Amino acid sequence: MHILVTGGTGYIGSHTCVALQQAGHSVVVADNLSNSKKETIDQIKKITGSRPGFYKIDCTRETAVDRVFSEHHFDGVIHFAGLKAVGESVEKPLKYYYNNTLSTMMLIDACRRYDVKRFVFSSSATVYGENRAPLVETMPLLPATNPYGETKAISERILSDCAAVNPGWSVALLRYFNPVGAHESALIGEAPSGIPNNLMPYVTKVARGKLKKLSIFGNDYPTADGTGVRDYVHVCDLAEGHVAALNKLTRGVHIYNLGTGRGTSVLELVRAFEEATGVKIKYQVAPRRQGDVAECYADASKAKKEMGWQAKRGLAEMCLSAWQFEKNYGQ
Ligand code: WQD
């Protein structure tokens, strides 16, 4: 199939482009490069041998989106493009509501005009809000603990309502848990600019000596070792989940958790990283971070049952691949 991947030079988007091409699909990337680099297109080509098409556009701009659709006959869209810094979304809610929901609406409207009937949406486990883990797709959504999560829930709602009046449409809402790691080539990976918000890129920068020590945000949670528990999933498993969603998509709206179904605490992840890489990670315990929940991990059975997808890569591979990318990218 010929697929438009918005946000395709980003972390999950670039890994998904690789998986799509390796599954025989052709790919066009649309990205505004606000949080990624155009060189990622070259890296994708180095890995797969095919260069995706590329448009530097902002998906909130109707004319720009329309030009892309007018120059291609897409069989489907995978929509990653969006702002995703949870903390920033609390400080700048309008920026997030504007960008994340308007880009989704622009793409839906372009699909309507150009009769594109498959839409895969990059959603997030944050839509579950304070629901208790293990998180199941049928759970009623509670308010997310931040505007970023709300923009994902609103986009899900808009897609569901539009699909309801376009019976030929097939929509997959993929709720990611905590994507970590990098492609085995170490040519693509998670490269946040500045001080990382997320745990794994922070750990790899401490391992490299770029940051002094890790602050563990709270060790007084009601969990086995008191630190926060999350469902870390290898980004390549996540990418393969998108290919499975596209291949297995049927009419209507389908919601899937993309996680391992296993919870890992911060301390467990630090220990797994030390074991996999042989690098000691210095840390200190710090106060809890606002908006954090104690536990967030998936019930991953629906994706396995309906798409035949499950995460294959373990924690050691997640840590090692993240470390390889840090060493390679940091050069
Ligand atoms: C993981 C755990 C922290 C950093 C967020 C978004 C989610 C997705 C992934 C976009 C928590 C602890 C972290 C640090 C720490 N993003 N931690 N010290 O918050 O689970 O999920 O990022 O889609 O939507 O909500 O990920 O990596 O920030 O935190 O102790 O320096 O590590 O408290 O327990 P999170 P995270």
Side-chain angles (χ1 to χ4, degrees), residues 1-4 25 69 74-79 107 111 115-121 159 168-172 245-252:
M1 287 188 257
H2 191 46
I3 305 296
L4 172 64
H25 300 291
F69 276 75
F74 293 123
D75 298 299
V77 174
I78 303 186
H79 179 34
L107 288 159
C111 286
D115 199 26
V116 178
K117 299 183 186 303
R118 293 180 190 82
F119 199 111
V120 176
F121 177 62
L159 277 159
W169 281 16
S170 306
V171 173
L246 209 52
N247 293 342
K248 303 268 179 178
L249 211 41
T250 54
R251 292 193 178 166

PDB file of all heavy atoms in Angstrom, residues 1-4 25 69 74-79 107 111 115-121 159 168-172 245-252:
ATOM      1  N   MET A   1       0.833  -1.178   0.000  1.00  0.00           N
ATOM      2  CA  MET A   1       0.000   0.000   0.000  1.00  0.00           C
ATOM      3  C   MET A   1       0.895   1.266   0.000  1.00  0.00           C
ATOM      4  O   MET A   1       2.036   1.216   0.392  1.00  0.00           O
ATOM      5  CB  MET A   1      -0.869   0.039   1.292  1.00  0.00           C
ATOM      6  CG  MET A   1      -1.985  -0.971   1.285  1.00  0.00           C
ATOM      7  SD  MET A   1      -3.090  -0.697   2.706  1.00  0.00           S
ATOM      8  CE  MET A   1      -2.559  -2.010   3.775  1.00  0.00           C
ATOM      9  N   HIS A   2       0.288   2.364  -0.477  1.00  0.00           N
ATOM     10  CA  HIS A   2       1.003   3.656  -0.504  1.00  0.00           C
ATOM     11  C   HIS A   2       0.513   4.464   0.692  1.00  0.00           C
ATOM     12  O   HIS A   2      -0.670   4.797   0.781  1.00  0.00           O
ATOM     13  CB  HIS A   2       0.671   4.366  -1.818  1.00  0.00           C
ATOM     14  CG  HIS A   2       1.542   5.563  -2.098  1.00  0.00           C
ATOM     15  ND1 HIS A   2       2.908   5.554  -1.950  1.00  0.00           N
ATOM     16  CD2 HIS A   2       1.226   6.821  -2.511  1.00  0.00           C
ATOM     17  CE1 HIS A   2       3.395   6.741  -2.274  1.00  0.00           C
ATOM     18  NE2 HIS A   2       2.393   7.527  -2.623  1.00  0.00           N
ATOM     19  N   ILE A   3       1.433   4.717   1.631  1.00  0.00           N
ATOM     20  CA  ILE A   3       1.030   5.240   2.942  1.00  0.00           C
ATOM     21  C   ILE A   3       1.646   6.612   3.229  1.00  0.00           C
ATOM     22  O   ILE A   3       2.861   6.803   3.032  1.00  0.00           O
ATOM     23  CB  ILE A   3       1.461   4.256   4.072  1.00  0.00           C
ATOM     24  CG1 ILE A   3       0.903   2.857   3.813  1.00  0.00           C
ATOM     25  CG2 ILE A   3       1.020   4.783   5.441  1.00  0.00           C
ATOM     26  CD1 ILE A   3      -0.600   2.753   3.836  1.00  0.00           C
ATOM     27  N   LEU A   4       0.802   7.536   3.701  1.00  0.00           N
ATOM     28  CA  LEU A   4       1.310   8.817   4.200  1.00  0.00           C
ATOM     29  C   LEU A   4       1.605   8.652   5.688  1.00  0.00           C
ATOM     30  O   LEU A   4       0.726   8.217   6.446  1.00  0.00           O
ATOM     31  CB  LEU A   4       0.273   9.935   4.000  1.00  0.00           C
ATOM     32  CG  LEU A   4       0.617  11.277   4.668  1.00  0.00           C
ATOM     33  CD1 LEU A   4       1.889  11.885   4.058  1.00  0.00           C
ATOM     34  CD2 LEU A   4      -0.550  12.258   4.565  1.00  0.00           C
ATOM     35  N   HIS A  25       5.457  -1.922   1.802  1.00  0.00           N
ATOM     36  CA  HIS A  25       4.650  -0.721   1.529  1.00  0.00           C
ATOM     37  C   HIS A  25       5.546   0.411   1.025  1.00  0.00           C
ATOM     38  O   HIS A  25       6.760   0.420   1.281  1.00  0.00           O
ATOM     39  CB  HIS A  25       3.942  -0.256   2.814  1.00  0.00           C
ATOM     40  CG  HIS A  25       3.018  -1.281   3.387  1.00  0.00           C
ATOM     41  ND1 HIS A  25       1.842  -1.669   2.788  1.00  0.00           N
ATOM     42  CD2 HIS A  25       3.115  -2.036   4.513  1.00  0.00           C
ATOM     43  CE1 HIS A  25       1.243  -2.598   3.527  1.00  0.00           C
ATOM     44  NE2 HIS A  25       1.998  -2.840   4.576  1.00  0.00           N
ATOM     45  N   PHE A  69      -1.795  15.453  -0.613  1.00  0.00           N
ATOM     46  CA  PHE A  69      -2.790  14.461  -1.054  1.00  0.00           C
ATOM     47  C   PHE A  69      -3.037  14.556  -2.554  1.00  0.00           C
ATOM     48  O   PHE A  69      -3.301  13.554  -3.218  1.00  0.00           O
ATOM     49  CB  PHE A  69      -4.114  14.658  -0.290  1.00  0.00           C
ATOM     50  CG  PHE A  69      -4.161  13.998   1.051  1.00  0.00           C
ATOM     51  CD1 PHE A  69      -3.469  14.537   2.129  1.00  0.00           C
ATOM     52  CD2 PHE A  69      -4.881  12.820   1.260  1.00  0.00           C
ATOM     53  CE1 PHE A  69      -3.511  13.922   3.383  1.00  0.00           C
ATOM     54  CE2 PHE A  69      -4.932  12.203   2.513  1.00  0.00           C
ATOM     55  CZ  PHE A  69      -4.234  12.762   3.573  1.00  0.00           C
ATOM     56  N   PHE A  74      -3.039   7.951  -1.853  1.00  0.00           N
ATOM     57  CA  PHE A  74      -2.700   7.187  -0.641  1.00  0.00           C
ATOM     58  C   PHE A  74      -3.725   6.101  -0.377  1.00  0.00           C
ATOM     59  O   PHE A  74      -4.922   6.323  -0.565  1.00  0.00           O
ATOM     60  CB  PHE A  74      -2.624   8.131   0.566  1.00  0.00           C
ATOM     61  CG  PHE A  74      -1.480   9.113   0.499  1.00  0.00           C
ATOM     62  CD1 PHE A  74      -1.711  10.484   0.559  1.00  0.00           C
ATOM     63  CD2 PHE A  74      -0.170   8.656   0.375  1.00  0.00           C
ATOM     64  CE1 PHE A  74      -0.657  11.387   0.493  1.00  0.00           C
ATOM     65  CE2 PHE A  74       0.898   9.553   0.307  1.00  0.00           C
ATOM     66  CZ  PHE A  74       0.650  10.917   0.363  1.00  0.00           C
ATOM     67  N   ASP A  75      -3.234   4.938   0.083  1.00  0.00           N
ATOM     68  CA  ASP A  75      -4.161   3.879   0.526  1.00  0.00           C
ATOM     69  C   ASP A  75      -4.474   4.029   2.017  1.00  0.00           C
ATOM     70  O   ASP A  75      -5.433   3.446   2.515  1.00  0.00           O
ATOM     71  CB  ASP A  75      -3.518   2.494   0.285  1.00  0.00           C
ATOM     72  CG  ASP A  75      -3.262   2.265  -1.194  1.00  0.00           C
ATOM     73  OD1 ASP A  75      -4.253   2.271  -1.957  1.00  0.00           O
ATOM     74  OD2 ASP A  75      -2.079   2.147  -1.591  1.00  0.00           O
ATOM     75  N   GLY A  76      -3.627   4.788   2.693  1.00  0.00           N
ATOM     76  CA  GLY A  76      -3.866   4.972   4.131  1.00  0.00           C
ATOM     77  C   GLY A  76      -2.966   6.062   4.702  1.00  0.00           C
ATOM     78  O   GLY A  76      -2.004   6.491   4.051  1.00  0.00           O
ATOM     79  N   VAL A  77      -3.330   6.501   5.901  1.00  0.00           N
ATOM     80  CA  VAL A  77      -2.550   7.508   6.629  1.00  0.00           C
ATOM     81  C   VAL A  77      -2.207   6.957   8.009  1.00  0.00           C
ATOM     82  O   VAL A  77      -3.046   6.326   8.663  1.00  0.00           O
ATOM     83  CB  VAL A  77      -3.379   8.816   6.816  1.00  0.00           C
ATOM     84  CG1 VAL A  77      -2.638   9.813   7.706  1.00  0.00           C
ATOM     85  CG2 VAL A  77      -3.712   9.435   5.465  1.00  0.00           C
ATOM     86  N   ILE A  78      -0.941   7.151   8.409  1.00  0.00           N
ATOM     87  CA  ILE A  78      -0.575   6.889   9.810  1.00  0.00           C
ATOM     88  C   ILE A  78      -0.162   8.236  10.388  1.00  0.00           C
ATOM     89  O   ILE A  78       0.760   8.878   9.887  1.00  0.00           O
ATOM     90  CB  ILE A  78       0.575   5.869   9.951  1.00  0.00           C
ATOM     91  CG1 ILE A  78       0.207   4.552   9.259  1.00  0.00           C
ATOM     92  CG2 ILE A  78       0.870   5.630  11.430  1.00  0.00           C
ATOM     93  CD1 ILE A  78       1.212   3.426   9.455  1.00  0.00           C
ATOM     94  N   HIS A  79      -0.900   8.691  11.386  1.00  0.00           N
ATOM     95  CA  HIS A  79      -0.728  10.058  11.889  1.00  0.00           C
ATOM     96  C   HIS A  79       0.017  10.081  13.221  1.00  0.00           C
ATOM     97  O   HIS A  79      -0.550   9.792  14.267  1.00  0.00           O
ATOM     98  CB  HIS A  79      -2.117  10.705  12.035  1.00  0.00           C
ATOM     99  CG  HIS A  79      -2.091  12.106  12.565  1.00  0.00           C
ATOM    100  ND1 HIS A  79      -1.087  13.004  12.287  1.00  0.00           N
ATOM    101  CD2 HIS A  79      -2.980  12.756  13.378  1.00  0.00           C
ATOM    102  CE1 HIS A  79      -1.348  14.149  12.897  1.00  0.00           C
ATOM    103  NE2 HIS A  79      -2.483  14.034  13.565  1.00  0.00           N
ATOM    104  N   LEU A 107      -6.247  16.279   8.489  1.00  0.00           N
ATOM    105  CA  LEU A 107      -5.966  15.012   7.795  1.00  0.00           C
ATOM    106  C   LEU A 107      -7.258  14.238   7.525  1.00  0.00           C
ATOM    107  O   LEU A 107      -7.435  13.656   6.452  1.00  0.00           O
ATOM    108  CB  LEU A 107      -4.987  14.177   8.620  1.00  0.00           C
ATOM    109  CG  LEU A 107      -3.565  14.729   8.629  1.00  0.00           C
ATOM    110  CD1 LEU A 107      -2.789  14.197   9.822  1.00  0.00           C
ATOM    111  CD2 LEU A 107      -2.834  14.400   7.330  1.00  0.00           C
ATOM    112  N   CYS A 111      -8.621  13.152   3.887  1.00  0.00           N
ATOM    113  CA  CYS A 111      -9.003  11.755   3.575  1.00  0.00           C
ATOM    114  C   CYS A 111     -10.401  11.735   2.962  1.00  0.00           C
ATOM    115  O   CYS A 111     -10.665  11.005   2.004  1.00  0.00           O
ATOM    116  CB  CYS A 111      -8.978  10.908   4.841  1.00  0.00           C
ATOM    117  SG  CYS A 111      -7.327  10.498   5.429  1.00  0.00           S
ATOM    118  N   ASP A 115     -10.828  10.509  -0.736  1.00  0.00           N
ATOM    119  CA  ASP A 115     -11.338   9.131  -0.619  1.00  0.00           C
ATOM    120  C   ASP A 115     -10.291   8.139  -0.115  1.00  0.00           C
ATOM    121  O   ASP A 115     -10.118   7.039  -0.658  1.00  0.00           O
ATOM    122  CB  ASP A 115     -11.897   8.668  -1.981  1.00  0.00           C
ATOM    123  CG  ASP A 115     -12.846   7.468  -1.786  1.00  0.00           C
ATOM    124  OD1 ASP A 115     -13.408   7.368  -0.661  1.00  0.00           O
ATOM    125  OD2 ASP A 115     -12.944   6.632  -2.694  1.00  0.00           O
ATOM    126  N   VAL A 116      -9.549   8.544   0.915  1.00  0.00           N
ATOM    127  CA  VAL A 116      -8.594   7.641   1.583  1.00  0.00           C
ATOM    128  C   VAL A 116      -9.330   7.020   2.763  1.00  0.00           C
ATOM    129  O   VAL A 116      -9.877   7.739   3.604  1.00  0.00           O
ATOM    130  CB  VAL A 116      -7.346   8.416   2.066  1.00  0.00           C
ATOM    131  CG1 VAL A 116      -6.385   7.489   2.812  1.00  0.00           C
ATOM    132  CG2 VAL A 116      -6.644   9.079   0.880  1.00  0.00           C
ATOM    133  N   LYS A 117      -9.374   5.669   2.814  1.00  0.00           N
ATOM    134  CA  LYS A 117     -10.305   5.039   3.760  1.00  0.00           C
ATOM    135  C   LYS A 117      -9.656   4.383   4.978  1.00  0.00           C
ATOM    136  O   LYS A 117     -10.341   3.791   5.799  1.00  0.00           O
ATOM    137  CB  LYS A 117     -11.114   3.971   3.015  1.00  0.00           C
ATOM    138  CG  LYS A 117     -11.975   4.505   1.864  1.00  0.00           C
ATOM    139  CD  LYS A 117     -12.779   3.365   1.243  1.00  0.00           C
ATOM    140  CE  LYS A 117     -13.546   3.792   0.010  1.00  0.00           C
ATOM    141  NZ  LYS A 117     -14.471   4.923   0.246  1.00  0.00           N
ATOM    142  N   ARG A 118      -8.295   4.418   5.063  1.00  0.00           N
ATOM    143  CA  ARG A 118      -7.621   3.786   6.206  1.00  0.00           C
ATOM    144  C   ARG A 118      -6.885   4.854   7.007  1.00  0.00           C
ATOM    145  O   ARG A 118      -6.109   5.636   6.442  1.00  0.00           O
ATOM    146  CB  ARG A 118      -6.620   2.728   5.728  1.00  0.00           C
ATOM    147  CG  ARG A 118      -7.247   1.523   5.062  1.00  0.00           C
ATOM    148  CD  ARG A 118      -6.146   0.545   4.634  1.00  0.00           C
ATOM    149  NE  ARG A 118      -6.685  -0.498   3.791  1.00  0.00           N
ATOM    150  CZ  ARG A 118      -6.894  -0.347   2.479  1.00  0.00           C
ATOM    151  NH1 ARG A 118      -6.613   0.814   1.868  1.00  0.00           N
ATOM    152  NH2 ARG A 118      -7.381  -1.342   1.748  1.00  0.00           N
ATOM    153  N   PHE A 119      -7.090   4.852   8.321  1.00  0.00           N
ATOM    154  CA  PHE A 119      -6.455   5.863   9.164  1.00  0.00           C
ATOM    155  C   PHE A 119      -5.968   5.189  10.448  1.00  0.00           C
ATOM    156  O   PHE A 119      -6.758   4.577  11.169  1.00  0.00           O
ATOM    157  CB  PHE A 119      -7.463   6.963   9.510  1.00  0.00           C
ATOM    158  CG  PHE A 119      -6.846   8.273   9.975  1.00  0.00           C
ATOM    159  CD1 PHE A 119      -6.914   9.416   9.180  1.00  0.00           C
ATOM    160  CD2 PHE A 119      -6.190   8.364  11.189  1.00  0.00           C
ATOM    161  CE1 PHE A 119      -6.362  10.625   9.589  1.00  0.00           C
ATOM    162  CE2 PHE A 119      -5.630   9.570  11.612  1.00  0.00           C
ATOM    163  CZ  PHE A 119      -5.724  10.700  10.800  1.00  0.00           C
ATOM    164  N   VAL A 120      -4.660   5.255  10.666  1.00  0.00           N
ATOM    165  CA  VAL A 120      -4.084   4.699  11.913  1.00  0.00           C
ATOM    166  C   VAL A 120      -3.610   5.889  12.744  1.00  0.00           C
ATOM    167  O   VAL A 120      -2.832   6.719  12.261  1.00  0.00           O
ATOM    168  CB  VAL A 120      -2.910   3.748  11.611  1.00  0.00           C
ATOM    169  CG1 VAL A 120      -2.259   3.259  12.909  1.00  0.00           C
ATOM    170  CG2 VAL A 120      -3.395   2.548  10.780  1.00  0.00           C
ATOM    171  N   PHE A 121      -4.103   5.976  13.991  1.00  0.00           N
ATOM    172  CA  PHE A 121      -3.785   7.146  14.819  1.00  0.00           C
ATOM    173  C   PHE A 121      -2.887   6.778  15.983  1.00  0.00           C
ATOM    174  O   PHE A 121      -3.126   5.796  16.695  1.00  0.00           O
ATOM    175  CB  PHE A 121      -5.081   7.779  15.350  1.00  0.00           C
ATOM    176  CG  PHE A 121      -4.837   8.945  16.269  1.00  0.00           C
ATOM    177  CD1 PHE A 121      -4.178  10.081  15.815  1.00  0.00           C
ATOM    178  CD2 PHE A 121      -5.255   8.908  17.604  1.00  0.00           C
ATOM    179  CE1 PHE A 121      -3.939  11.167  16.654  1.00  0.00           C
ATOM    180  CE2 PHE A 121      -5.023   9.984  18.451  1.00  0.00           C
ATOM    181  CZ  PHE A 121      -4.362  11.109  17.974  1.00  0.00           C
ATOM    182  N   LEU A 159     -12.100  11.140  15.442  1.00  0.00           N
ATOM    183  CA  LEU A 159     -11.955  10.054  14.453  1.00  0.00           C
ATOM    184  C   LEU A 159     -13.131   9.080  14.541  1.00  0.00           C
ATOM    185  O   LEU A 159     -13.687   8.657  13.526  1.00  0.00           O
ATOM    186  CB  LEU A 159     -10.625   9.316  14.679  1.00  0.00           C
ATOM    187  CG  LEU A 159      -9.416   9.975  14.047  1.00  0.00           C
ATOM    188  CD1 LEU A 159      -8.131   9.505  14.712  1.00  0.00           C
ATOM    189  CD2 LEU A 159      -9.397   9.710  12.545  1.00  0.00           C
ATOM    190  N   GLY A 168     -17.387   3.335   4.974  1.00  0.00           N
ATOM    191  CA  GLY A 168     -16.311   2.610   4.297  1.00  0.00           C
ATOM    192  C   GLY A 168     -14.965   2.767   4.995  1.00  0.00           C
ATOM    193  O   GLY A 168     -13.984   2.141   4.624  1.00  0.00           O
ATOM    194  N   TRP A 169     -14.912   3.578   6.051  1.00  0.00           N
ATOM    195  CA  TRP A 169     -13.620   3.863   6.690  1.00  0.00           C
ATOM    196  C   TRP A 169     -13.190   2.775   7.663  1.00  0.00           C
ATOM    197  O   TRP A 169     -14.042   2.150   8.312  1.00  0.00           O
ATOM    198  CB  TRP A 169     -13.686   5.183   7.453  1.00  0.00           C
ATOM    199  CG  TRP A 169     -13.563   6.396   6.569  1.00  0.00           C
ATOM    200  CD1 TRP A 169     -13.710   6.456   5.217  1.00  0.00           C
ATOM    201  CD2 TRP A 169     -13.266   7.717   7.008  1.00  0.00           C
ATOM    202  NE1 TRP A 169     -13.542   7.730   4.781  1.00  0.00           N
ATOM    203  CE2 TRP A 169     -13.258   8.538   5.846  1.00  0.00           C
ATOM    204  CE3 TRP A 169     -13.029   8.308   8.252  1.00  0.00           C
ATOM    205  CZ2 TRP A 169     -12.996   9.902   5.907  1.00  0.00           C
ATOM    206  CZ3 TRP A 169     -12.776   9.677   8.308  1.00  0.00           C
ATOM    207  CH2 TRP A 169     -12.757  10.462   7.131  1.00  0.00           C
ATOM    208  N   SER A 170     -11.865   2.588   7.738  1.00  0.00           N
ATOM    209  CA  SER A 170     -11.277   1.693   8.751  1.00  0.00           C
ATOM    210  C   SER A 170     -10.307   2.534   9.578  1.00  0.00           C
ATOM    211  O   SER A 170      -9.384   3.133   9.006  1.00  0.00           O
ATOM    212  CB  SER A 170     -10.503   0.569   8.066  1.00  0.00           C
ATOM    213  OG  SER A 170     -11.329  -0.083   7.138  1.00  0.00           O
ATOM    214  N   VAL A 171     -10.540   2.575  10.870  1.00  0.00           N
ATOM    215  CA  VAL A 171      -9.706   3.414  11.754  1.00  0.00           C
ATOM    216  C   VAL A 171      -9.132   2.572  12.890  1.00  0.00           C
ATOM    217  O   VAL A 171      -9.853   1.801  13.529  1.00  0.00           O
ATOM    218  CB  VAL A 171     -10.555   4.564  12.348  1.00  0.00           C
ATOM    219  CG1 VAL A 171      -9.761   5.353  13.392  1.00  0.00           C
ATOM    220  CG2 VAL A 171     -11.057   5.495  11.234  1.00  0.00           C
ATOM    221  N   ALA A 172      -7.812   2.721  13.109  1.00  0.00           N
ATOM    222  CA  ALA A 172      -7.177   2.052  14.276  1.00  0.00           C
ATOM    223  C   ALA A 172      -6.657   3.136  15.205  1.00  0.00           C
ATOM    224  O   ALA A 172      -5.963   4.055  14.768  1.00  0.00           O
ATOM    225  CB  ALA A 172      -6.033   1.152  13.825  1.00  0.00           C
ATOM    226  N   ALA A 245      -1.504  -3.403  12.312  1.00  0.00           N
ATOM    227  CA  ALA A 245      -2.800  -2.689  12.338  1.00  0.00           C
ATOM    228  C   ALA A 245      -3.255  -2.381  10.916  1.00  0.00           C
ATOM    229  O   ALA A 245      -4.413  -2.587  10.552  1.00  0.00           O
ATOM    230  CB  ALA A 245      -2.668  -1.402  13.145  1.00  0.00           C
ATOM    231  N   LEU A 246      -2.318  -1.916  10.085  1.00  0.00           N
ATOM    232  CA  LEU A 246      -2.652  -1.570   8.699  1.00  0.00           C
ATOM    233  C   LEU A 246      -3.095  -2.816   7.917  1.00  0.00           C
ATOM    234  O   LEU A 246      -4.095  -2.803   7.208  1.00  0.00           O
ATOM    235  CB  LEU A 246      -1.408  -0.975   8.039  1.00  0.00           C
ATOM    236  CG  LEU A 246      -1.585   0.039   6.933  1.00  0.00           C
ATOM    237  CD1 LEU A 246      -2.497   1.175   7.345  1.00  0.00           C
ATOM    238  CD2 LEU A 246      -0.221   0.600   6.548  1.00  0.00           C
ATOM    239  N   ASN A 247      -2.356  -3.893   8.126  1.00  0.00           N
ATOM    240  CA  ASN A 247      -2.654  -5.115   7.360  1.00  0.00           C
ATOM    241  C   ASN A 247      -3.956  -5.773   7.791  1.00  0.00           C
ATOM    242  O   ASN A 247      -4.644  -6.379   6.998  1.00  0.00           O
ATOM    243  CB  ASN A 247      -1.503  -6.127   7.509  1.00  0.00           C
ATOM    244  CG  ASN A 247      -0.230  -5.613   6.831  1.00  0.00           C
ATOM    245  OD1 ASN A 247      -0.296  -4.708   5.987  1.00  0.00           O
ATOM    246  ND2 ASN A 247       0.912  -6.143   7.233  1.00  0.00           N
ATOM    247  N   LYS A 248      -4.270  -5.636   9.086  1.00  0.00           N
ATOM    248  CA  LYS A 248      -5.446  -6.374   9.600  1.00  0.00           C
ATOM    249  C   LYS A 248      -6.675  -5.479   9.704  1.00  0.00           C
ATOM    250  O   LYS A 248      -7.699  -5.881  10.216  1.00  0.00           O
ATOM    251  CB  LYS A 248      -5.134  -6.924  11.002  1.00  0.00           C
ATOM    252  CG  LYS A 248      -3.918  -7.825  11.060  1.00  0.00           C
ATOM    253  CD  LYS A 248      -4.292  -9.272  10.876  1.00  0.00           C
ATOM    254  CE  LYS A 248      -3.036 -10.147  10.908  1.00  0.00           C
ATOM    255  NZ  LYS A 248      -3.323 -11.557  10.788  1.00  0.00           N
ATOM    256  N   LEU A 249      -6.534  -4.217   9.255  1.00  0.00           N
ATOM    257  CA  LEU A 249      -7.599  -3.245   9.495  1.00  0.00           C
ATOM    258  C   LEU A 249      -8.893  -3.648   8.781  1.00  0.00           C
ATOM    259  O   LEU A 249      -8.873  -4.001   7.604  1.00  0.00           O
ATOM    260  CB  LEU A 249      -7.137  -1.875   8.964  1.00  0.00           C
ATOM    261  CG  LEU A 249      -7.643  -0.618   9.647  1.00  0.00           C
ATOM    262  CD1 LEU A 249      -7.659  -0.762  11.143  1.00  0.00           C
ATOM    263  CD2 LEU A 249      -6.821   0.585   9.219  1.00  0.00           C
ATOM    264  N   THR A 250      -9.985  -3.614   9.530  1.00  0.00           N
ATOM    265  CA  THR A 250     -11.299  -3.842   8.909  1.00  0.00           C
ATOM    266  C   THR A 250     -12.144  -2.592   9.163  1.00  0.00           C
ATOM    267  O   THR A 250     -11.725  -1.708   9.917  1.00  0.00           O
ATOM    268  CB  THR A 250     -12.004  -5.053   9.578  1.00  0.00           C
ATOM    269  OG1 THR A 250     -12.032  -4.818  10.990  1.00  0.00           O
ATOM    270  CG2 THR A 250     -11.252  -6.342   9.288  1.00  0.00           C
ATOM    271  N   ARG A 251     -13.319  -2.550   8.535  1.00  0.00           N
ATOM    272  CA  ARG A 251     -14.136  -1.333   8.637  1.00  0.00           C
ATOM    273  C   ARG A 251     -14.527  -1.037  10.089  1.00  0.00           C
ATOM    274  O   ARG A 251     -14.627  -1.943  10.911  1.00  0.00           O
ATOM    275  CB  ARG A 251     -15.391  -1.491   7.781  1.00  0.00           C
ATOM    276  CG  ARG A 251     -15.009  -1.510   6.323  1.00  0.00           C
ATOM    277  CD  ARG A 251     -16.179  -1.350   5.411  1.00  0.00           C
ATOM    278  NE  ARG A 251     -15.724  -1.343   4.008  1.00  0.00           N
ATOM    279  CZ  ARG A 251     -16.551  -1.477   2.977  1.00  0.00           C
ATOM    280  NH1 ARG A 251     -17.844  -1.652   3.191  1.00  0.00           N
ATOM    281  NH2 ARG A 251     -16.082  -1.447   1.742  1.00  0.00           N
ATOM    282  N   GLY A 252     -14.747   0.236  10.350  1.00  0.00           N
ATOM    283  CA  GLY A 252     -15.123   0.647  11.702  1.00  0.00           C
ATOM    284  C   GLY A 252     -13.906   1.160  12.475  1.00  0.00           C
ATOM    285  O   GLY A 252     -12.841   1.358  11.912  1.00  0.00           O
TER     286      GLY A 252
END
